[in-house]
Amino acid sequence: MTGGRAVLIGPRTPEQLNDLLTSADVVLDAPILDRIDEIAEPGSDINPADNFDAVIPALADKHLRRRR
């Protein structure tokens, strides 16, 4: 758990695991999140083929995009 939240990772190699673990404590600040929102509007689905017809809570409710 990081900051009280679970982080799900899916590495395929030990190198990927190390990279993912080092980034677990990264927190994006508001200007970066604002820029991401400009690129991909909250609640949008960039690649529906990746979701296998699953309902993704963070996509279903745009307010979940920036949990505090």
Side-chain angles (χ1 to χ4, degrees), residues 8 12 15 17 28-29 50 53-54 60 68:
L8 300 177
R12 293 190 179 117
E15 292 79 17
L17 175 61
L28 301 177
D29 61 14
D50 285 342
D53 294 325
R68 293 195 167 50

Side-chain angles (χ1 to χ4, degrees), residues 19-57:
D19 288 344
L20 291 168
L21 290 175
T22 59
S23 64
D25 293 324
V26 172
V27 177
L28 301 177
D29 61 14
I32 292 174
L33 292 171
D34 290 341
R35 182 64 181 124
I36 292 170
D37 288 347
E38 290 173 13
I39 295 167
E41 181 180 336
S44 60
D45 191 349
I46 301 301
N47 189 358
D50 285 342
N51 294 330
F52 305 103
D53 294 325
V55 175
I56 310 301

Side-chain angles (χ1 to χ4, degrees), residues 4-19:
R5 292 182 284 212
V7 177
L8 300 177
I9 58 175
R12 293 190 179 117
T13 66
E15 292 79 17
Q16 286 179 343
L17 175 61
N18 288 334
D19 288 344

